[in-house]
Amino acid sequence: LRSEWNKPTPEPWALPTEIWRETIERLQRCQSIKAKIAAGEITSINDFITYNLDIRLFAADLLATADRLFIKHFYEALQSVTILDPTCGSGAFLFAAMNILEPLYEACIERMQEQPDYFKTQLAEISDKYRSNIQYFIFKSIILRNLYGVDIMVEATEIAKLRLFLKMVAVVDVDRRQPNLGLDPLPDIDFNIRCGNTLVGYANEEQLLETPRVNKKNSLFFEDEVAQFRQKIEDELNTIAGAYNTFKSLQLEQEANRAESDQDFQVKFKKQKSELTERLAILNTLLNEQLFDSEHQVITGNREQIFNKWLKSHQPFHWLAEFYQIIHDKGGFDVVIGNPPYVEIAKNNIGYSLSNEYKDLYAYVMDRSLLISRGTDFIGFIIPISFNATPGFNQVFSRYRNGSLFISCYADSAKLFQVTKRLSIVLKIKGSDSLFMTRYIKENIGNNEGKAMSYRLSHSPYKQIFDDIIQFNGIPAKISFPIEERIIRKYFFNKTTISNLFYTNGVKIYYTRAIRNFRPFYDFIPCHKFPDGSDKIPTETKSIQIDTESKWNIICLLNSSITFIVFSWFTDVRNINPGFINSLRIPQMANLKELQRFGFILMKDYNLHKEVRYNKTNGCMESYYFPVKSKPIIDEIDKVLAVDYGFTDEELDFIINYDIKYRMGDELNREE
């Protein structure tokens, strides 16, 4: 019975914290996925992401049974994949990437060792290892071949290197009878983990060539020298690429140099690194001057002094130069991952100028990542939910729309990090243009509640979620189920918006912008009382003015679970903005007397459950409202509105019980 669905599920059917509604959802999802597998509908890695299947386990099973030709190509691809964190900090994401790659390397090596004659070339590199074990070789190979990072703080990059080194050392058994206790010299990854400003500098050759020419007095570009300058840059880039490949090969092929003494090897190694560093310095000087001149076409004062100040504040990082062999030869990094800084630019002096396109720094990092990744890119970021839930980020969102875009959305209660923030995990993957979303996830993913949720989680595979009417002010819906799509279609079938009922001299309806599990609207002012009898309207309290005759039906609509669920689908679930209210759809309401009655009862009930507390800091009595206690009245309002919207009983049940466990909290299990 649906009346029992909100009660805790008993054993043996339950997962931790589940209610019957969630258990049924999980079992139905399991049956659906099993049917798709049986029908051969799970055909790509993207399908694994869509249905939240275990890709690691699949890869392990595949490598355990694949033929030798597949193993050969898989291992070659594994060694060549380049993974970048453009704001790596202390290297948490690179460290996680290494932990994912390591078992794949190990599985391939185990399979290759079964047929040593066929894999003679691949195994030679491993058998020629110097002192350490295979595990050490795997980590060394991953660090040198696969992982790259950039951060603006030099301290952060040093910590990132140290974390990777400690991971390597931890797998080696110390042998006091061996030179250096049996440890290989640690790899030099100064050219893998770099310090610089991800957002300032030339990302690729196209950017360099597009740099505007400036006046001859300060520019590198004299009309008759443009071609020579470009050729000089290209020659320097090629020289650096060759020097870097030699530098990396010296470390990966150390056994080939074993005939030399360790001392001789170190001399050769230091010389190669010194040459590479010098060539990079020369090239960066040329590029820095060109970038500076393009931004400072008119200079009043000492040019050298201004240039040095600019260099210090901007810390330019030229991807084209620092990673030329990747940017030029491969067309960019294969994988870009990270957790870019959440910095509101208007509120922070970041030391350099950016365009006015976005308000937050993370959006610029996402844009830059498109320039330094391959056309067949794989990009994954954990970023604020504003990326896919506020109009201010529509431009960067649209730039990520080519290919398959997977977005999972998390409330602050999900606790992806220690910081409480509403976040999205965004995965941009090669494939046909399509968008896949999850619902707004409130489960704490770090505990049993999150583990239970993982069995129910999936990305909604409805392409029309973005391309059709299922969007609100350009924002896609955070949905997971076909029933939600049906509800949205019926909701948007109503073309009239609340803004059509706004009147300058109309009756006021009040609301508080910040909300959590309820979003109450009042026909009275939820004000604070001071000892002298004066009132103070809280700063966050806003109002709208509507036609007097429409007061009660609008009050009911705004307080309904229907509007709450639309709010959860199409906003950052943080603040109610006027644009959202203006765009709410109104059906042709046939039961105005019922709505008037319930609206009046609801306002009375809000005041009945009000608590007044003294705030010592503000020196006033503050009113607190608890709309959760009025949920039965709100349910009756939704039943009336459902008739006007044309919702079925099943759709109404979904709306009334949307996020019920979190909206009601302890009230859900309280005995009547």
Side-chain angles (χ1 to χ4, degrees):
L1 296 175
R2 287 185 183 269
S3 60
E4 303 292 314
W5 281 18
N6 292 335
K7 293 183 178 180
T9 309
E11 294 184 353
W13 300 281
L15 289 177
T17 77
E18 275 190 336
I19 60 176
W20 270 116
R21 189 174 296 275
E22 294 170 327
T23 302
I24 293 168
E25 174 191 323
R26 170 170 55 82
L27 295 175
Q28 288 177 338
R29 177 180 178 275
C30 180
Q31 288 181 335
S32 173
I33 292 175
K34 288 176 67 176
K36 290 181 182 296
I37 294 173
E41 296 178 19
I42 308 295
T43 59
S44 70
I45 295 299
N46 287 6
D47 292 331
F48 279 75
I49 301 172
T50 300
Y51 301 108
N52 196 37
L53 301 176
D54 193 332
I55 299 178
R56 289 195 195 187
L57 183 60
F58 171 77
D61 289 345
L62 186 62
L63 291 174
T65 57
D67 61 41
R68 63 186 188 181
L69 184 59
F70 179 89
I71 296 295
K72 177 179 181 294
H73 289 303
F74 190 95
Y75 187 67
E76 289 173 354
L78 201 58
Q79 288 186 308
S80 65
V81 67
T82 54
I83 302 171
L84 167 74
D85 185 344
T87 55
C88 67
S90 59
F93 278 68
L94 296 178
F95 195 80
M98 183 163 66
N99 288 336
I100 291 174
L101 293 175
E102 184 268 333
L104 298 177
Y105 266 88
E106 189 171 10
C108 287
I109 291 172
E110 288 178 355
R111 288 299 313 279
M112 290 191 297
Q113 288 175 332
E114 295 173 2
Q115 302 183 59
D117 292 337
Y118 183 81
F119 293 104
K120 186 175 181 180
T121 303
Q122 291 80 6
L123 292 174
E125 185 182 40
I126 303 170
S127 61
D128 288 342
K129 61 187 181 297
Y130 186 33
R131 288 186 282 258
S132 305
N133 56 29
I134 289 179
Q135 205 70 26
Y136 183 92
F137 163 79
I138 290 174
F139 286 138
K140 182 176 181 179
S141 184
I142 292 172
I143 292 171
L144 285 174
R145 286 187 166 117
N146 303 127
L147 302 183
Y148 301 85
V150 176
D151 198 88
I152 199 167
M153 293 181 62
V154 64
E155 299 88 351
T157 59
E158 292 303 316
I159 293 173
K161 295 174 192 175
L162 180 61
R163 292 181 71 179
L164 296 174
F165 290 154
L166 290 175
K167 182 74 170 180
M168 294 176 61
V169 174
V171 301
V172 180
D173 296 325
V174 173
D175 187 346
R176 298 184 183 278
R177 293 172 295 181
Q178 291 284 344
N180 199 36
L181 301 178
L183 299 176
D184 269 340
L186 290 170
D188 189 314
I189 56 173
D190 285 350
F191 298 102
N192 289 59
I193 312 297
R194 310 304 305 271
C195 183
N197 191 330
T198 290
L199 301 179
V200 178
Y202 294 114
N204 50 39
E205 289 168 296
E206 289 75 16
Q207 265 199 346
L208 176 61
L209 296 178
E210 289 171 2
T211 303
R213 298 182 185 180
V214 296
N215 61 66
K216 293 183 179 181
K217 181 179 180 181
N218 295 322
S219 176
L220 294 171
F221 285 122
F222 294 93
E223 290 297 328
D224 58 346
E225 294 179 352
V226 172
Q228 291 128 340
F229 176 80
R230 290 180 178 173
Q231 186 62 51
K232 184 176 182 180
I233 291 292
E234 186 175 342
D235 291 343
E236 288 291 340
L237 289 170
N238 286 320
T239 300
I240 287 171
Y244 175 76
N245 288 332
T246 302
F247 175 76
K248 185 167 66 173
S249 297
L250 280 174
Q251 301 186 75
L252 288 169
E253 301 169 5
Q254 187 170 336
E255 180 64 18
N257 300 279
R258 195 169 182 180
E260 305 175 70
S261 67
D262 281 351
Q263 185 176 2
D264 291 338
F265 176 80
Q266 289 301 322
V267 169
K268 180 190 291 187
F269 181 79
K270 288 179 180 179
K271 181 182 178 182
Q272 188 65 36
K273 182 176 181 179
S274 177
E275 290 179 1
L276 179 56
T277 303
E278 288 175 7
R279 303 304 303 191
L280 263 176
I282 294 170
L283 178 58
N284 275 318
T285 298
L286 290 172
L287 296 176
N288 287 338
E289 289 181 348
Q290 165 60 13
L291 183 61
F292 174 79
D293 285 338
S294 69
E295 293 182 0
H296 300 77
Q297 297 193 24
V298 177
I299 296 178
T300 57
N302 187 310
R303 181 185 183 280
E304 183 178 357
Q305 184 179 11
I306 297 172
F307 173 75
N308 290 333
K309 183 179 179 180
W310 172 87
L311 205 61
K312 183 178 180 180
S313 65
H314 284 61
Q315 294 180 250
F317 184 84
H318 303 291
W319 297 87
L320 177 62
E322 305 287 353
F323 298 118
Y324 180 70
Q325 73 282 5
I326 294 175
I327 299 297
H328 179 269
D329 296 348
K330 297 188 64 173
F333 291 89
D334 298 302
V335 179
V336 181
I337 56 175
N339 175 222
Y342 316 149
V343 179
E344 292 188 24
I345 297 171
K347 297 181 181 179
N348 293 271
N349 181 10
I350 57 176
Y352 51 91
S353 61
L354 290 170
S355 68
N356 296 320
E357 199 167 6
Y358 313 116
K359 295 181 179 179
D360 202 299
L361 203 59
Y362 80 82
Y364 293 95
V365 175
M366 296 184 74
D367 265 353
R368 176 55 59 109
S369 297
L370 291 174
L371 296 176
I372 56 179
S373 61
R374 296 180 60 191
T376 55
D377 45 39
F378 294 83
I379 300 177
F381 284 121
I382 299 180
I383 52 176
I385 204 170
S386 55
F387 167 75
N388 56 278
T390 58
F393 293 87
N394 281 351
Q395 283 185 292
V396 66
F397 180 81
S398 65
R399 290 181 182 131
Y400 271 67
R401 284 287 294 120
N402 65 310
S404 296
L405 185 61
F406 295 83
I407 305 176
S408 52
C409 310
Y410 299 86
D412 49 4
S413 58
K415 297 182 179 178
L416 285 181
F417 299 115
Q418 292 298 321
V419 60
T420 55
K421 194 85 174 176
R422 298 166 178 85
L423 300 171
S424 291
I425 297 179
V426 177
L427 303 175
K428 184 182 185 302
I429 299 174
K430 65 179 180 179
S432 58
D433 290 357
S434 52
L435 176 64
F436 302 82
M437 298 283 292
T438 69
R439 60 182 175 82
Y440 186 55
I441 300 163
K442 294 184 177 179
E443 291 90 341
N444 184 341
I445 65 170
N447 61 19
N448 287 333
E449 183 182 46
K451 293 175 183 176
M453 175 275 295
S454 67
Y455 289 99
R456 302 190 305 272
L457 180 65
S458 64
H459 292 75
S460 178
Y462 307 116
K463 292 183 180 180
Q464 63 265 44
I465 193 172
F466 182 86
D467 301 322
D468 203 351
I469 63 171
I470 309 180
Q471 55 176 312
F472 198 82
N473 296 333
I475 295 168
K478 298 184 284 292
I479 67 175
S480 289
F481 309 107
I483 191 173
E484 293 176 285
E485 181 185 352
R486 297 198 298 270
I487 292 171
I488 292 175
R489 288 189 178 280
K490 291 180 179 180
Y491 180 84
F492 279 98
F493 181 79
N494 300 275
K495 304 300 182 183
T496 305
T497 63
I498 283 185
S499 59
N500 292 331
L501 301 178
F502 285 179
Y503 283 83
T504 305
N505 298 318
V507 63
K508 286 189 176 182
I509 296 176
Y510 299 89
Y511 65 97
T512 302
R513 289 184 66 237
I515 68 108
R516 288 194 67 81
N517 290 316
F518 283 83
R519 172 219 21 74
F521 286 76
Y522 315 94
D523 71 337
F524 53 86
I525 303 175
C527 59
H528 301 330
K529 295 285 185 181
F530 284 86
D532 62 1
S534 62
D535 296 339
K536 179 184 178 182
I537 300 178
T539 306
E540 284 295 306
T541 298
K542 308 297 178 184
S543 65
I544 59 174
Q545 290 182 271
I546 61 169
D547 171 26
T548 304
E549 295 181 1
S550 304
K551 170 185 173 180
W552 291 113
N553 54 329
I554 297 303
I555 281 279
C556 288
L557 177 65
L558 292 174
N559 282 284
S560 68
S561 291
I562 292 173
T563 297
F564 177 82
I565 198 172
V566 171
F567 177 81
S568 299
W569 283 334
F570 294 108
T571 74
D572 62 359
V573 202
R574 180 183 179 187
N575 292 319
I576 301 174
N577 295 313
F580 169 77
I581 296 176
N582 295 351
S583 301
L584 289 171
R585 299 300 202 272
I586 307 173
Q588 293 294 325
M589 297 181 178
N591 300 292
L592 296 180
K593 288 186 178 180
E594 282 288 283
L595 292 176
Q596 181 176 355
R597 182 169 70 89
F598 284 126
F600 180 80
I601 294 173
L602 182 63
M603 296 299 100
K604 185 177 180 180
D605 204 57
Y606 279 170
N607 274 303
L608 178 65
H609 295 112
K610 177 179 70 175
E611 290 185 11
V612 179
R613 306 169 188 167
Y614 180 70
N615 187 313
K616 185 177 180 180
T617 302
N618 296 330
C620 66
M621 302 299 292
E622 296 186 349
S623 300
Y624 295 86
Y625 298 87
F626 300 90
V628 63
K629 297 181 181 294
S630 304
K631 182 65 163 58
I633 301 171
I634 295 174
D635 291 348
E636 294 302 318
I637 290 173
D638 281 302
K639 291 176 184 177
V640 176
L641 291 173
V643 176
D644 297 324
Y645 280 108
F647 296 140
T648 64
D649 289 344
E650 181 187 11
E651 291 162 355
L652 174 62
D653 177 78
F654 182 89
I655 291 168
I656 288 176
N657 293 286
Y658 180 80
D659 263 354
I660 193 69
K661 189 167 72 173
Y662 303 97
R663 296 188 72 191
M664 298 302 292
D666 292 339
E667 295 288 329
L668 185 65
N669 299 316
R670 187 168 296 177
E671 295 292 336
E672 296 295 337

